[in-house]
Amino acid sequence: MIQINNLWKSFDGNQVLRGINLNIIQGETMVIIGQSGCGKSVLLKHIIGLLKPDHGSINVFNEEITKLSDKNLYKIQKRFGMLFQSAALFDSLTIAENVGFFLYEHSDLNNDEIMKIVNKNLHMVGLHNIESLYPASLSGGMKKRVALARAISTNPDVILYDEPTTGIDPIMAAIINNLIIRMQKELKVTSIAVTHDMTSAYKIADRIAMLYQGKIIEIGTPEEIKQTQNETVKQFILGNAEGPIYSKFEDNI
Amino acid sequence: MSILTKDIVAQIFTRPFRIRPILHQMVVVGLNTLPIASIMAIFTGMVLAVQTYYQFRQFDLETYIGTVVGLSMTRELGPVLTAIIVAGRIGSSTAAEIGSMKVTEQIDALRTFGVNPVRYLATPRFIALVTMLPFLTIYTDFIGILGAYSISIIKFHIRSSLYIDKTIHFLDPPDVLSGLIKAIFFGAIIAIVSCHKGLTSGEGAQGVGRATTNSVVLSSILILIIDYFLTIILP
């Protein structure tokens, strides 16, 4: 469904991605793990066409998206839903206008019909009676759930999650994890999540890929990842201060 | 910035044409600027009258205050000072709003919903600024002239009919028109600079702060420079 081949990307001379190869199968939940700042979000933004690679190809729904015009790219982007790390709700719009944003922009539905969908989507993420509020008055966890309700308003084939559980309490993180699993089961969507939260990764993933130094160094089911012999992966998933990653960190200092 | 200008203009002619966001921006730019524009205009007019009176009195020309104020306000002070105030009030908030939308990934979110950020954010602001700045300029011209008139009548005891006569006699339609043409250019400058600074804002609060400051500074400088060239070109 999504094939990434030899993807390279640098920012101001800083090489972030160094030849990523990754295939994502329809209907699966792929979790990409890695340290903060290792390029996970950059990879996600390439998949949805928000960033253009320096080199390499990304094939989505049988279209090579790196070469598409903006107009054709929009057609592909409409088949995605994305939950941003910061939720990225539009500050100047109410929750109802946020969740119904895509429908207000791109459908011929009237306000009552859109509000029905908005309420259904908010109900799906466990939120009620907040339609007229503004994002500033919501907690971090609620913002993420509203963002998820907004992401599914496009009836997406793929949902991308950028650090879905970062910055929220463990209970809310568990609720978000359950929602991700529910989205996959009920909406039959393919999910790609990037995170450094291993509890979340084990809970939601069908497969886990680890990104390190701009490359995918390991890929497998949660069980396979738990039993890895790769010292770098082992250090990361166990959260050890010492190991190959620490040595590299020390070298950099 | 030239790419953004081209994009903004192209989006004006792209269907469907949405009137609601434009009307909203017109209210923000026009109606909400009236109080500060009024204060600026009335005091500028009064100061101009006082300064002119003390200089012209030496030559017994104080009845020409209306002429000087009328021409100065409509040709120069009205459009330039209004534009500088709008650059400070609207340009800064535009750069800050779009800049913070960028750093909180809201611009990326717009794009994932198939919405062109230039069309959604920059084009309505451009249309509102280009159309409302001339109206604001007419308003500040009038208030400035009214301020100068009041002070001339009350403080300097110049005959009202004489003051009005001297103002109208020397003030021709091209004087007012040249000010309004300037206002259209200034509106475009404020919109393009502030949207550009917002869309290219650096990361974090510091990046947004810098974008906001740069927007006001660059808009103000460009307004003054373009004003010089327009003054030469316009009759």
Side-chain angles (χ1 to χ4, degrees):
Chain A
M1 185 181 211
I2 298 170
Q3 289 98 35
I4 301 162
N5 296 309
N6 195 25
L7 196 73
W8 290 73
K9 181 71 178 177
S10 66
F11 296 98
D12 301 325
N14 177 26
Q15 196 68 50
V16 179
L17 304 181
R18 300 163 185 264
I20 299 267
N21 291 298
L22 189 65
N23 285 337
I24 289 138
I25 305 161
Q26 189 164 1
E28 76 167 337
T29 297
M30 165 67 81
V31 174
I32 299 158
I33 58 170
Q35 288 176 280
S36 295
C38 75
K40 303 187 296 292
S41 298
V42 170
L43 175 58
L44 213 55
K45 286 183 178 176
H46 275 91
I47 295 173
I48 198 170
L50 289 174
L51 291 173
K52 297 264 184 215
D54 298 335
H55 183 69
S57 68
I58 304 164
N59 201 292
V60 181
F61 310 126
N62 299 318
E63 291 258 24
E64 171 50 49
I65 64 163
T66 57
K67 292 179 176 66
L68 287 180
S69 65
D70 281 354
K71 197 177 166 189
N72 289 326
L73 185 60
Y74 283 154
K75 286 181 192 161
I76 300 284
Q77 285 173 330
K78 283 180 195 174
R79 297 177 68 180
F80 280 90
M82 181 155 179
L83 178 65
F84 287 87
Q85 188 172 351
S86 58
L89 297 177
F90 304 122
D91 296 326
S92 57
L93 304 182
T94 63
I95 300 306
E97 288 166 339
N98 262 286
V99 177
F101 184 80
F102 178 81
L103 301 169
Y104 283 116
E105 288 294 319
H106 294 293
S107 78
D108 297 324
L109 299 176
N110 64 36
N111 193 52
D112 290 345
E113 290 167 324
I114 292 175
M115 281 309 294
K116 268 186 198 165
I117 298 170
V118 166
N119 285 324
K120 191 187 91 184
N121 288 353
L122 283 173
H123 184 255
M124 199 161 184
V125 297
L127 294 170
H128 312 274
N129 303 323
I130 58 163
E131 293 84 352
S132 57
L133 299 179
Y134 281 87
S137 57
L138 302 185
S139 68
M142 283 172 94
K143 279 183 190 166
K144 293 227 172 180
R145 285 195 282 168
V146 171
L148 186 53
R150 184 178 69 173
I152 59 174
S153 67
T154 61
N155 279 328
D157 296 311
V158 182
I159 304 182
L160 307 179
Y161 301 90
D162 190 358
E163 307 276 9
T165 56
T166 300
I168 52 178
D169 68 76
I171 308 290
M172 189 53 72
I175 291 170
I176 298 278
N177 287 335
N178 287 341
L179 280 172
I180 294 172
I181 296 166
R182 192 174 161 199
M183 294 299 145
Q184 192 206 8
K185 283 188 181 154
E186 290 187 16
L187 305 176
K188 312 283 180 215
V189 292
T190 305
S191 305
I192 307 168
V194 303
T195 186
H196 50 239
D197 174 358
M198 288 314 299
T199 313
S200 171
Y202 290 141
K203 193 166 179 181
I204 64 176
D206 292 317
R207 286 194 300 157
I208 295 174
M210 173 143 175
L211 181 62
Y212 180 66
Q213 292 184 340
K215 287 184 175 172
I216 299 291
I217 57 165
E218 184 96 353
I219 187 161
T221 63
E223 283 311 310
E224 286 167 347
I225 291 290
K226 279 178 192 169
Q227 283 154 26
T228 183
Q229 294 308 308
N230 184 317
E231 289 301 321
T232 306
V233 180
K234 218 188 252 183
Q235 184 193 352
F236 183 81
I237 61 173
L238 296 174
N240 292 332
E242 290 183 11
I245 301 174
Y246 176 73
S247 306
K248 188 75 192 167
F249 179 67
E250 288 266 282
D251 290 348
N252 285 341
I253 290 174
Chain B
M1 220 177 289
S2 61
I3 296 169
L4 177 65
T5 310
K6 218 167 75 183
D7 262 13
I8 289 173
V9 174
Q11 291 300 331
I12 294 173
F13 301 104
T14 305
R15 294 288 165 269
F17 188 75
R18 296 233 166 118
I19 197 75
R20 254 185 72 185
I22 297 170
L23 290 177
H24 171 71
Q25 289 301 327
M26 280 178 161
V27 171
V28 173
V29 173
L31 211 60
N32 297 356
T33 307
L34 285 181
I36 188 170
S38 306
I39 294 169
M40 177 278 291
I42 200 155
F43 280 97
T44 303
M46 290 195 302
V47 166
L48 201 56
V50 173
Q51 290 285 13
T52 311
Y53 175 79
Y54 288 128
Q55 301 304 318
F56 278 29
R57 190 179 53 178
Q58 301 168 39
F59 312 103
D60 289 330
L61 290 172
E62 58 267 36
T63 50
Y64 283 88
I65 292 176
T67 311
V68 172
V69 171
L71 286 172
S72 310
M73 282 306 295
T74 53
R75 292 195 75 100
E76 285 302 327
L77 292 174
V80 172
L81 290 181
T82 308
I84 300 270
I85 277 191
V86 171
R89 199 183 158 272
I90 306 296
S92 60
S93 70
T94 298
E97 194 178 327
I98 296 179
S100 59
M101 282 184 79
K102 187 182 174 233
V103 301
T104 55
E105 299 179 299
Q106 291 178 53
I107 305 279
D108 281 344
L110 280 176
R111 290 168 64 196
T112 63
F113 287 112
V115 172
N116 182 326
V118 171
R119 177 178 172 74
Y120 188 78
L121 297 169
T123 302
R125 286 171 164 87
F126 179 86
I127 296 172
L129 276 158
V130 164
T131 52
M132 291 314 286
L133 211 56
F135 284 109
L136 271 174
T137 301
I138 288 185
Y139 175 77
T140 51
D141 288 350
F142 177 73
I143 296 291
I145 290 170
L146 195 68
Y149 169 80
S150 316
I151 216 81
S152 303
I153 306 303
I154 298 164
K155 191 170 161 61
F156 304 131
H157 309 293
I158 294 168
R159 201 147 39 88
S160 169
S161 60
L162 192 64
Y163 186 97
I164 293 170
D165 183 52
K166 295 283 187 211
T167 304
I168 292 173
H169 184 72
F170 287 96
L171 195 62
D172 295 326
D175 299 320
V176 180
L177 196 66
S178 76
L180 299 186
I181 292 169
K182 283 179 178 181
I184 293 171
F185 278 91
F186 298 160
I189 289 170
I190 297 165
I192 292 161
V193 170
S194 60
C195 290
H196 179 262
K197 291 294 171 194
L199 288 168
T200 56
S201 162
E203 292 299 316
Q206 201 180 23
V208 176
R210 201 176 298 128
T212 308
T213 309
N214 289 347
S215 159
V216 178
V217 171
L218 186 59
S219 297
S220 304
I221 290 170
L222 285 177
I223 285 165
L224 296 172
I225 294 172
I226 300 286
D227 179 51
Y228 169 74
F229 289 106
L230 288 175
T231 305
I232 292 173
I233 296 165
L234 294 170

